[in-house]
Every structure is written in structure tokens, then in C-alpha cells.
Amino acid sequence: MTLRKDFLWGGAVAAHQLEGGWNKGGKGPSVADVMTAGANGVERKITDGVIPGENYPNHEAIDFYGHYKEDVALFTELGLKCFRTSIAWTRIFPNGDETEPNEEGLQFYDDLFDECLKNGIEPVITLSHFELPYHLVTEYGGFRNRKLIDFFVRFAEVVMTRYKDKVKYWMTFNEINNQANFNRDFAPFTNSGLKFTAEDNREEVMYQAAHYELVASAKVVEIGHKINPDFQIGCMIAMCPIYPATMNPNDMMAATVAMRRRYWFADVHVRGHYPAYLKSYFARKDFKLDITAEDEAALAKGCVDYIGFSYYMSFAIQDQATNDRGAKDKSHASSGNADTREHLGAPEFDYNEDTDLIKNNFVEASEWGWQIDPMGLRWALSWFYERYEKPLFIVENGFGAVDEVEADGSIHDPYRIDYLKAHIKAMEDAVTYEGVDLMGYTPWGFIDLVSAGTGEMKKRYGMIYVDKDNEGNGTLARSKKDSFNWYQKVIATNGEEL
Ligand code: P53
């Protein structure tokens, strides 16, 4: 067998997508609480505060806040070794800038972690998963403000101290690199609480916010190791490999540059300094970034212990200048946009996440346009391990699909089993053939929850079904899909029976 004996088979969620109870127990509003429901191709609206009459799907979500005991019983039956969730920052610091935490919020996570631990399930905790206190957006401008470093460090210090004997595995910022897509409003807001004005240079603001987050993360790594030297503290990167579309040398270079624009965040997290290619980019763009010598020292002292990453799909890119005649299908990989590429071309190969990706005709896509590519997971594991030589943890992977409930209540989801099976096989191949050091695997949304990207319920990832629809109707009753029984066996055989 290839996997570790103590392999962390689990499931992953985020507080804002399942807890609900958005204003219970003293919780304050987070960025997720001012986002309305969207749909496939319809962006979620970011409203100015909570507006009566709007549909905010995260307010109730699947009410894990009220159902966690019965849910952990199901997780136990599934055989989970670990449960990845986040601590909702605003349960602990409702506004984000208080000095003293909210005891009721702290107690909720004590109860949840106790419930997990007594069932042999290890909590794996993300500190910031699209849950920034909304007050920090309106009063400070989100992470464009250096003060956010201290607020985040204070939050992390409080929860790491409180749960030092209950939680060993931590991650700082979920999918910190999503904001490489700075031309859209979604990722900068969910990652960093950024709202742009017309005068903003969006890209420069994004780099500044990301820098403050990287410094905050590094400080938390250092403090965390003091709180408990056994802590394993990782980063969390959204990994979508970017393939060159052809053997055209310009496609190869365009893909290399695009990979850097998406994954430099990992370079800083793991190596503790900015790479040369990025320094030269900042100079060429004339970005005036607030990066101090103290910041650089903090980065160097706070390198992560492991790399947590999500993997759903791969991307592809084609250089525009030299490929205009070769490009057959220029539709955007995940959004279905018509071709609006303007930037690509030698020698800069400046990459625009929002417009420069093309559809890969070698792979299928989900109903939401996410390209299904198990080999891409093996490639990603191999790339990370070769580049960083750090333990890896696949903390999200999964297939969003519409499920049908049969008359007898059963739910047959062979498409989900197929997706997960192929990806687990690719992951095992990476361990066998690439020699990567892999800590665990936690499929995303293994209990149905609110989609981050669209706010829908019907984009389901779960092995556990939750009776609730896009409009918020439903009993919230939980039931097992076919994939539940399948995954139970996978865990029980440590991945030998797929
Ligand atoms: P949803 C975009 C691309 C890759 C992962 O996403 C992403 C996103 C943001 O939509 O997010 C992660 O719900 C994220 C989870 C999210 C999950 O992937 O849009 O860490 O919070 O739910 C799936 O289908």
C-alpha cells in the first residue's frame, strides 16, 4: 500500500457555508453575510450591509450551528479521521477590532471540537475562509489596511491558545491566491474584504492586501509554534494548473508566467521571501508597495510547515500574438466568456486571469464549466513537491452537481463517485510514482452546503444530502447518498478499494 498508515481521510467545509446562525451567540456579520444568492453565470451581489428583502443564503446555510451533534454522528459513521472546517472570525470577534473575544463563540467551537475528538475525528482548522468581519471592510477598507495584520494575529492567537490541546492542524488564509483574479469583485472581497473605487489600480491594491496577509500568516506561524510546538501550520492554495495549449514556445512561456501570477503566494509562504520574477514585475509595473524590512524579516521567520491546497480543475492558455490562426476555441475555461484577450503576447506575457484562459478540448467539464482533469491532480502534487519539498495536504476536491432524490428518498450519484474515484487514483499514483509526501485528503462539501461562488444550494458536492433548495425551502433533513457508502469503504481500506 502506498498511503501512510495515519493518512488523514476526511471531509472539508467552511463555517460560513454550513453553520448559519449568522447573528446567533453574539456573532457579528462577515463578508459572507452581505452576499446574495447568484446562479451559474450570475454573480452574487455584494450589498452595502444587510438589506431587508434580499436573499442571503449564508445566513441560515444548513444550520450546522443547530445540527452539529447529529452531523458529527454521521461523520463518525462515515469513518472520517479528520474534519476540516474554519472558525468564523466574527463568532470570536464580532467586529474584528475588539481586544476581548466573545466567550459564547469560543464555547461553540469547544463543544464542536469535543464532539469530534470523542468520536476519534481530528479537527483541521482554517483561520480565515472568506469570513472577514464586515466591520473591518467598512471601517478599515479590509486588507488594504496594515492594521488588519494585528487584528488577524490577535484572533489567531486567541483561538490557537484556547484550542491548543484540541487542534493540531491549522491553515491561515483559504485559497489566498484566488485574488489573482482581481478584475472581478468576488475574490478580492472574499479573500481580503476589498471593495474597489474607480481610481484604484486593482492589481496594485491586490498585491498590497496579499502582502499584509502573507505577513499576518507568517506571524501566526511563528506565534503558533510558540503556543504549541506540535502545531502543523500550513498555507492554503487554490491549485488549477495552467497548461500551455500547444508546443508553440510562446505558449510554454505564457503558461509559465501565468502559473507565477497565480502561485507566487505559495513561494512566499513556503520560502519566506519574494521571488526575483515578482520583484522585477513590481518594478516594471511601478507598483508602490508598502513592504518594510520588518515585514521581510517576519516572512523569513514564518515559513509554513505544509502546503494545503484545493484541486477542482485545470486551466489552459494560448499566446494570442502568435496563435491567432491556431486558436480554434477561444471561449473562457470556466466562465464561458467570449474571447476578450488583450494582454498576452511576448515579451511580457502579462496575464489576465479573467480573460486569457481557453477551453481545453481534451477534458470534459461540469455543468458549471469546471474542467474535470484527474491527471491534473497528479501533476499538481508532483509540481508542488518538486518545487517545495514540503508535506502536501489535499484539503478540497470534489464535483458540484445537481442531485435527484428518488421517490424512496435514495440519491444515486455515480457521477460524483466517478469523479472522486479518478482523483483518488491520481493522488495514489502521485504517491507511488512521484514519491510525494501526502498527509491527507478531505473532499469538499461532503455534506451539502452553500456554494461559495454562486450562493446556490443546488450545486451540491455532498455525500450527505441536505433538504434545502436555492430559495431556502426545505426541512434541512440529512440523508445519505450512494457516495456515502462508497467513501466509507474507501476510508476503511485506506484507499485500496476504490
Ligand atoms: P463553489 C473558485 C475556484 C476554485 C475554488 O466552489 C473556489 C472558487 C470560489 O468559488 O473555492 C473553493 O462553492 C472554496 C470553497 C468553495 C469550493 O472551492 O463555488 O475554498 O469555499 O465552496 C467550491 O462551487
Side-chain angles (χ1 to χ4, degrees):
M1 182 66 230
T2 55
L3 299 178
R4 295 175 175 193
K5 286 275 167 291
D6 59 351
F7 192 78
L8 288 167
W9 292 101
V13 300
H16 73 284
Q17 287 171 264
L18 90 164
E19 282 180 7
W22 76 286
N23 58 5
K24 290 193 180 147
K27 182 183 167 296
S30 78
V31 293
D33 294 319
V34 299
M35 295 180 74
T36 63
N40 191 7
V42 182
E43 290 202 34
R44 304 181 69 175
K45 265 190 306 186
I46 300 167
T47 56
D48 285 326
V50 173
I51 312 280
E54 292 280 7
N55 176 12
Y56 297 105
N58 301 72
H59 284 193
E60 181 192 55
I62 61 159
D63 190 31
F64 180 73
Y65 190 70
H67 291 70
Y68 75 91
K69 282 200 177 156
E70 98 183 61
D71 288 341
V72 173
L74 276 169
F75 305 169
T76 307
E77 190 184 340
L78 185 55
L80 297 194
K81 313 273 188 216
C82 75
F83 173 53
R84 174 182 178 235
T85 189
S86 57
I87 295 177
W89 188 341
T90 57
R91 283 201 193 285
I92 314 303
F93 291 98
N95 283 329
D97 58 358
E98 302 91 340
T99 48
E100 291 313 310
N102 169 35
E103 176 56 32
E104 208 176 336
L106 288 168
Q107 190 59 48
F108 170 69
Y109 292 104
D110 263 321
D111 296 344
L112 171 60
F113 299 158
D114 288 344
E115 196 65 26
C116 290
L117 291 167
K118 82 171 189 226
N119 288 294
I121 300 173
E122 180 132 34
V124 173
I125 296 303
T126 319
L127 289 163
S128 178
H129 193 133
F130 310 165
E131 288 149 350
L132 195 83
Y134 185 59
H135 177 80
L136 298 184
V137 176
T138 53
E139 297 306 308
Y140 300 88
F143 259 100
R144 72 171 78 210
N145 190 325
R146 179 177 276 279
K147 289 192 180 128
L148 274 268
I149 298 177
D150 288 343
F151 297 143
F152 178 74
V153 171
R154 172 75 184 139
F155 161 60
E157 196 179 11
V158 164
V159 296
M160 285 177 148
T161 305
R162 174 85 168 212
Y163 309 121
K164 70 177 167 29
D165 300 319
K166 297 184 183 180
V167 178
K168 175 177 173 189
Y169 298 98
W170 302 87
M171 276 166 274
T172 53
F173 290 92
N174 185 66
E175 293 190 335
I176 189 170
N177 61 317
N178 277 355
Q179 55 197 324
N181 193 342
F182 52 82
N183 285 312
R184 297 250 184 124
D185 293 336
F186 176 81
F189 187 66
T190 52
N191 274 148
S192 307
L194 295 177
K195 292 182 102 166
F196 295 112
T197 65
E199 291 77 51
D200 276 332
N201 177 335
R202 284 178 167 242
E203 188 177 17
E204 187 172 13
V205 173
M206 181 280 285
Y207 276 107
Q208 186 64 67
H211 171 70
Y212 291 148
E213 283 159 10
L214 289 161
V215 171
S217 171
K219 289 188 169 185
V220 165
V221 170
E222 204 195 352
I223 291 167
H225 286 148
K226 285 191 184 133
I227 294 170
N228 184 345
D230 289 338
F231 277 178
Q232 294 285 306
I233 309 168
C235 56
M236 199 313 203
I237 303 292
M239 170 46 83
C240 309
I242 305 173
Y243 300 154
T246 73
M247 66 187 92
N248 180 340
N250 280 27
D251 285 353
M252 188 64 211
M253 198 62 220
T256 301
V257 172
M259 284 291 286
R260 290 171 176 168
R261 295 288 174 267
R262 263 189 80 79
Y263 302 110
W264 69 270
F265 304 80
D267 286 352
V268 180
H269 268 306
V270 180
R271 297 175 178 148
H273 59 83
Y274 279 84
Y277 65 78
L278 201 59
K279 287 184 185 161
S280 88
Y281 184 64
F282 291 165
R284 174 161 66 80
K285 289 280 184 170
D286 200 25
F287 289 157
K288 307 273 186 287
L289 299 174
D290 170 31
I291 301 176
T292 66
E294 289 78 30
D295 292 348
E296 285 174 340
L299 291 175
K301 281 194 290 182
C303 299
V304 292
D305 299 316
Y306 67 93
I307 298 157
F309 71 95
S310 65
Y311 180 84
Y312 294 90
M313 59 188 147
S314 61
F315 293 156
I317 195 163
Q318 188 161 43
D319 175 59
Q320 187 181 32
T322 51
N323 265 313
D324 268 350
R325 267 167 292 147
K328 290 199 173 58
D329 187 343
K330 294 180 181 177
S331 60
H332 183 269
S334 56
S335 69
N337 281 352
D339 182 37
T340 51
R341 292 175 298 163
E342 286 163 2
H343 303 270
L344 274 183
E348 297 87 356
F349 294 103
D350 280 344
Y351 164 66
N352 180 338
E353 175 92 28
D354 203 28
T355 55
D356 292 341
L357 300 171
I358 62 161
K359 186 167 169 292
N360 182 346
N361 290 321
F362 290 90
V363 300
E364 303 285 321
S366 81
E367 221 177 287
W368 279 262
W370 291 22
Q371 300 186 135
I372 304 162
D373 176 12
M375 185 62 81
L377 176 58
R378 174 166 164 186
W379 187 90
L381 285 159
S382 167
W383 184 86
F384 271 130
Y385 202 59
E386 178 180 333
R387 194 173 175 98
Y388 301 123
E389 297 182 322
K390 287 276 179 197
L392 304 175
F393 196 166
I394 303 167
V395 295
E396 287 183 29
N397 174 235
F399 189 62
V402 177
D403 293 326
E404 299 294 340
V405 185
E406 305 292 330
D408 66 355
S410 61
I411 297 146
H412 306 302
D413 57 347
Y415 36 88
R416 185 168 294 108
I417 296 174
D418 287 348
Y419 178 99
L420 294 170
K421 193 185 284 191
H423 285 76
I424 293 173
K425 175 74 169 65
M427 150 188 122
E428 292 180 348
D429 285 348
V431 173
T432 307
Y433 301 110
E434 256 62 70
V436 307
D437 180 7
L438 187 60
M439 297 161 62
Y441 175 78
T442 59
W444 174 254
F446 71 104
I447 178 165
D448 288 345
L449 40 62
V450 176
S451 156
T454 67
E456 292 167 293
M457 271 306 298
K458 76 166 195 189
K459 188 182 186 189
R460 296 174 185 273
Y461 289 85
M463 301 161 184
I464 300 168
Y465 186 84
V466 178
D467 178 27
K468 181 168 177 179
D469 66 17
N470 281 354
E471 285 69 46
N473 308 308
T475 62
L476 294 177
R478 278 67 164 150
S479 55
K480 297 176 207 164
K481 305 182 195 176
D482 288 354
S483 52
F484 184 99
N485 300 317
W486 170 80
Y487 190 50
Q488 196 178 42
K489 200 161 70 191
V490 173
I491 299 177
T493 61
N494 201 26
E496 287 198 46
E497 250 182 72
L498 295 183

